[in-house]
Amino acid sequence: MTLSLEGRTYVVMGVANKRSIAWGIARSLHAAGARLVFTYAGERFEKEVRTLVDTLEDERSLLLPCDVANDEDIAQCFAQIKERVGVIHGVAHCIAYANKDDLSGEYMKVSRDGFLLAHNISAYSLTAVAREAKELMTEGGSIVTLTYLGGERVVQNYNIMGVAKASLDASVKYLANDLGKYGIRVNAISAGPIRTLSAKGVGDFNTILKQIEERAPLRRTTTQEEVGDAALFLFSDLSRGITGEIIHVDSGYHILG
Ligand code: KAL
């Protein structure tokens, strides 16, 4: 068995720019010969994503807008994918959002709206997407989402995102249980800190990265390529016995106390 994904189609949701983990996943899938469908959050990302997708020089690629806060939008997006490509074999869900104000200081200050927003975009969207994607994964499939250690234990400032990731992690397990009978697997990759757009504006991000370099078993920070290749494994048949799992791609940092 090899890691060729020739003849398969994957939907990659959440590319914002070339630093996005979603883009790392896309590049690994592309290198394995997969056809890719990209969805982006809104007009402000369209140009950048289109420029990136063009660099793949793959005429089979498709680019569609998808607002995961809107059920109708998700349904329409997957209806379009069905019409344009037919069967899909997996989805990379790389989407999260929380109000900046809810990502520092005391967690307990989070408002009801801020709590619901983070859960809506970062956790519920996986379930909403899985439900629509299932209809297109008639040959079985693999769904991969991105989580973070802050959902398992307290990580300073991660706050509402930690609570939302805990919900996402539980969703992975319940979805894996629902979808297993259709030959669809659902897993998460817990990536170590990477300098992406979502990490932008985090004041002490350099300090966080330095701590990983000093303490993580592998003594280096995580790269988009490492997450991309782990995702490639989860999308391939090499991982056919794995579902409901959270794989840490973080230089081993999560084993430390
Ligand atoms: C402990 C860490 C330090 C950072 C704290 C919180 C990070 C939260 C991630 C969350 C997804 C970021 C946002 O939602 C930022 C948002 O309020 C403003 N940004 C945007 O609107 C940009 C333009 C768009 C593209 O961003 C999004 N998300 O749509 C966690 C670090 C060590 C690890 C990280 C960064 C984890 C993670 O979940 O990303």
Side-chain angles (χ1 to χ4, degrees), residues 16 44-45 95-101 103 122 147-148 155-159 161 165 191-194 196-200 202 204-205 208:
R44 64 191 271 231
F45 295 107
I95 295 169
Y97 189 84
N99 284 329
K100 201 172 184 310
D101 294 348
L103 298 169
S122 316
T147 188
Y148 179 59
V155 173
Q156 193 103 108
N157 295 328
Y158 202 56
N159 296 9
M161 272 311 302
K165 289 297 192 191
I194 299 180
T196 63
L197 192 57
S198 115
K200 217 173 168 173
V202 178
D204 52 357
F205 202 69
I208 296 172

Side-chain angles (χ1 to χ4, degrees), residues 9-10 12 26-27 29-30 34-38 56 60-62:
T9 302
Y10 294 86
V12 179
R27 276 184 303 173
L29 291 175
H30 172 74
R35 177 182 186 179
L36 299 176
V37 176
F38 293 88
L56 296 178
R60 303 169 303 168
S61 301
L62 200 62

Side-chain angles (χ1 to χ4, degrees), residues 19 157 193-196 199-215 220-221 253:
R19 291 185 166 196
N157 295 328
I194 299 180
R195 196 181 294 285
T196 63
K200 217 173 168 173
V202 178
D204 52 357
F205 202 69
N206 281 336
T207 318
I208 296 172
L209 292 179
K210 197 159 164 267
Q211 203 185 33
I212 304 286
E213 279 173 359
E214 284 168 1
R215 294 191 64 220
R220 54 180 161 80
T221 54
Y253 189 79

